[in-house]
């Protein structure tokens, strides 16, 4: 597999190199030089999830890694269910929260950890990542206790749910966490600055587990194939898919699946009040604003890192960008969506509610679609209980961490402070 740097196309790497580097020169994202097209998608959709995922990822990686290694990586990473649940006559929910940290990020983080474990050699490695909520837990769980790997997770202090925070800040060991006194966009900026600093990048052998790492995106392609497989067991058309979007890695994976040949009618990029992309798609001006805090906090992103990849896919496939719908859902609409879904007998949390509402608003009378449910409702227990008047029970994964102390350092959004902390903590 060959990839190139979107900012510096002359920089070409294979998958193993992109996996270990994370970012290219000048913070550039790696993008595949060729998107593989699948010959017989219908036959592929007839396979069980694990067998199908081996072939989907094999189309990208078998030429470099060999199919037996791809098969082994898939079997070790994807060992939890992902049901498609009918919500009403037009909408179904793909539940991606049945992994160990109760969020869709488990797919990408676990696959990346397996890849690094197989391809990283025995040299020490530092994973640096920023999280707006679920990435932190998924990465921490995937890498916890691995030999020769240190993990540092940055997150915006006070701007993720308490239970989200407890899932990755209470582990200790090789997991180090930093509460940054700012928003997620500043956390991302600090990560990018670290990758440009020689002392940290080379001295700590830095890598990133954010969705900027291509390994995570490839893993997420697989659940879009499962979504369409389950959808087609009931219907014979192609679904519209609404993706709750913050950093836009999830949508990028869906678009790559479609580019491979997956029959998806169109995608809806559903955001909360942080609406940079919907405004851009409507007016043509890229104009990020100050990040707003919302109840769907994992999507509180004003400058999504993966957007250049989205545009690259549309360019590569010669799709007009107008085929992508971007819709911002307000806090009031999110609340109404949660209530409406509860009335239908489907309890969910704010991120899925944003996608569900966007899907309902965009579907035509003769269309059906899927929205992605990216986190277990109990991860946002305080919000869900407040908005719906419920008292959600905690699943075991959350019950175990509820009373544990947070082990995070607290730092300002200042790179010099982060650098000093990293060198002291990780050297």
């Amino acid at each position: 597999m060959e990839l190139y740097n979107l900012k510096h196309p002359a920089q070409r790497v294979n998958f193993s190199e992109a996996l270990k580097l994370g970012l290219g020169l000048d913070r550039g994202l790696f993008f595949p030089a060729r998107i593989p097209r699948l010959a017989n998608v219908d036959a592929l959709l007839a396979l069980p999830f694990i067998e199908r995922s081996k072939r989907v990822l094999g189309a990208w990686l078998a030429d470099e890694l060999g199919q037996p290694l791809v098969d082994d990586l898939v079997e070790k990473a994807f060992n939890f269910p992902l049901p498609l649940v009918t919500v009403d006559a037009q909408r179904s929910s793909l539940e991606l929260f049945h992994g160990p940290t109760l969020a869709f990020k488990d797919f990408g983080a676990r696959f990346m950890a397996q890849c690094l474990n197989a391809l990283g050699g025995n040299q020490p490695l530092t994973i640096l990542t920023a999280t707006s909520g679920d990435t932190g837990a998924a990465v921490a769980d995937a890498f916890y206790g691995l030999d020769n790997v240190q993990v540092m997770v940055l997150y915006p202090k006070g701007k993720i749910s308490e239970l989200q925070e407890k899932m990755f800040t209470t582990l200790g060991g090789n997991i180090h966490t930093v509460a940054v006194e700012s928003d997620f966009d500043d956390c991302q900026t600090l990560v990018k600055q670290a990758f440009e600093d020689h002392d940290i990048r080379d001295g700590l052998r830095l890598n990133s587990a954010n969705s900027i790492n291509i390994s995570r995106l490839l893993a997420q392609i697989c659940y879009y194939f499962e979504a369409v497989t389950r959808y087609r067991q009931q219907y014979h058309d192609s679904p519209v898919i609404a993706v709750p979007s913050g950093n836009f890695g999830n949508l990028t994976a869906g678009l790559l699946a479609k580019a491979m040949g997956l029959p998806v009618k169109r995608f809806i990029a559903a955001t909360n009040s942080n609406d940079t992309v919907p405004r851009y798609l409507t007016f043509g001006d890229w104009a990020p604003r100050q990040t707003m805090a919302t109840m769907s906090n994992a999507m509180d992103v004003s400058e999504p890192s993966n957007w250049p990849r989205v545009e690259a896919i549309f360019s590569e496939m010669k799709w007009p960008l107008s085929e992508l719908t971007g819709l911002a859902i307000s806090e009031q609409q999110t609340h109404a969506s949660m209530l409406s879904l509860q009335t239908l007998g489907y309890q969910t949390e704010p991120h899925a509610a944003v996608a569900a509402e966007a899907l309902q608003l965009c579907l035509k009378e003769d269309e059906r679609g899927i929205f992605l449910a990216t986190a277990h409702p109990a991860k946002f227990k305080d919000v869900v209980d407040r908005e719906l008047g419920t008292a959600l029970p905690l699943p075991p994964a959350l019950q175990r961490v509820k009373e544990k102390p947070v082990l995070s350092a607290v730092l300002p959004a200042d790179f010099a402070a982060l650098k000093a902390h990293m060198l002291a903590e990780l050297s």
Side-chain angles (χ1 to χ4, degrees):
M1 179 183 182
E2 185 182 40
L3 303 103
Y4 68 93
N5 182 338
L6 285 173
K7 286 189 175 180
H8 298 280
Q11 184 185 14
R12 301 261 168 164
V13 296
N14 62 21
F15 172 75
S16 296
E17 291 167 329
L19 169 74
K20 297 169 192 174
L21 288 171
L23 283 167
L25 298 173
D26 195 24
R27 306 182 190 178
L29 299 172
F30 289 118
F31 189 79
R34 183 185 69 87
I35 298 175
R37 313 297 201 269
L38 299 171
N40 192 341
V41 174
D42 287 340
L44 202 60
L45 294 177
L47 296 174
F49 174 64
I50 295 297
E51 293 306 312
R52 184 190 322 111
S53 297
K54 291 175 181 178
R55 299 196 187 187
V56 168
L57 290 175
W60 295 92
L61 300 175
D63 60 343
E64 179 180 337
L65 305 185
Q67 190 64 50
L69 177 55
V70 174
D71 293 351
D72 185 58
L73 295 172
V74 169
E75 288 176 0
K76 289 178 177 176
F78 302 158
N79 55 2
F80 40 89
L82 56 162
L84 185 70
V85 179
T86 299
V87 173
D88 58 25
Q90 285 189 288
R91 296 178 298 171
S92 298
S93 169
L94 183 69
E95 294 188 345
L96 299 172
F97 52 74
H98 295 280
T101 71
L102 311 178
F104 79 105
K105 302 291 181 76
D106 284 324
F107 287 91
R110 287 171 63 82
F111 184 72
M112 180 184 175
Q114 293 301 324
C115 288
L116 280 173
N117 197 42
L119 303 172
N122 294 319
Q123 290 184 300
L125 181 70
T126 299
I127 302 292
L128 175 66
T129 194
T131 184
S132 55
D134 291 325
T135 290
V139 169
D141 179 81
F143 287 92
Y144 181 55
L146 288 186
D147 293 336
N148 296 316
V149 178
Q150 297 291 321
V151 176
M152 182 164 283
V153 182
L154 312 185
Y155 66 99
K157 185 176 184 292
K159 294 179 180 176
I160 68 174
S161 80
E162 181 181 353
L163 288 171
Q164 276 182 313
E165 183 181 25
K166 287 289 186 83
M167 288 201 79
F168 65 92
T169 63
T170 60
L171 293 169
N174 66 323
I175 308 300
H176 311 267
T177 54
V178 175
V180 177
E181 295 176 315
S182 188
D183 57 29
F184 174 70
D185 289 305
D186 278 345
C187 293
Q188 285 200 129
T189 298
L190 289 170
V191 169
K192 291 174 181 177
Q193 288 175 312
F195 273 88
E196 293 179 341
D197 185 275
H198 171 79
D199 295 333
I200 295 179
R201 185 189 66 239
D202 299 332
L204 299 179
R205 297 195 72 241
L206 206 59
N207 202 330
S208 174
N210 276 81
S211 55
I212 55 176
N213 195 294
I214 193 67
S215 63
R216 279 189 48 184
L217 296 181
L218 295 185
Q220 290 174 252
I221 291 171
C222 298
Y223 58 66
Y224 284 95
F225 277 84
E226 181 70 2
V228 173
T229 294
R230 291 178 177 270
Y231 176 88
R232 287 203 157 187
Q233 290 170 357
Q234 301 179 64
Y235 311 111
H236 301 290
D237 56 357
S238 298
V240 178
I241 300 182
V243 184
S245 299
N247 218 21
F248 279 76
N250 208 348
L251 179 64
T252 301
L255 291 168
L256 288 172
K258 183 177 181 179
M260 295 180 77
L262 185 67
V264 176
K265 189 169 185 179
R266 69 179 186 280
F267 282 97
I268 300 165
T271 75
N272 57 26
S273 301
N274 296 285
D275 60 349
T276 302
V277 167
R279 285 186 289 109
Y280 174 67
L281 292 173
T282 301
F283 302 111
D285 295 323
W286 187 260
R289 296 171 178 165
Q290 182 67 37
T291 303
M292 297 175 60
T294 73
M295 69 176 88
S296 52
N297 63 268
M299 294 155 57
D300 290 350
V301 182
S302 292
E303 298 190 56
S305 292
N306 277 291
W307 184 252
R309 282 180 170 141
V310 172
E311 292 199 312
I313 295 168
F314 275 86
S315 176
E316 171 74 17
M317 300 304 297
K318 297 180 171 57
W319 297 336
L321 198 55
S322 58
E323 289 185 358
L324 177 63
T325 301
L327 191 62
I329 302 300
S330 69
E331 292 290 88
Q332 184 178 4
Q333 288 174 301
T334 303
H335 170 77
S337 178
M338 292 173 69
L339 284 174
S340 174
L341 292 166
Q342 184 183 46
T343 301
L344 292 168
Y346 189 74
Q347 189 169 61
T348 190
E349 48 73 46
H351 305 78
V354 165
E357 181 69 6
L359 182 61
Q360 179 166 291
L361 291 172
C362 293
L363 283 177
K364 299 172 184 175
E365 286 188 10
D366 62 343
E367 291 181 326
R368 284 177 290 265
I370 299 166
F371 64 89
L372 304 191
T374 51
H376 192 291
K379 291 195 81 171
F380 302 91
K381 175 178 169 58
D382 290 347
V383 173
V384 174
D385 286 351
R386 182 190 73 217
E387 298 296 315
L388 300 180
T390 56
L392 281 180
L394 291 180
L398 293 175
Q399 192 67 50
R400 283 194 296 269
V401 300
K402 181 183 177 184
E403 303 301 332
K404 289 186 177 181
V406 170
L407 303 176
S408 301
V410 178
L411 294 177
D414 175 75
F415 178 66
L418 175 65
K419 178 176 178 177
H421 178 72
M422 290 185 70
L423 293 175
E425 188 84 0
L426 303 174
S427 295

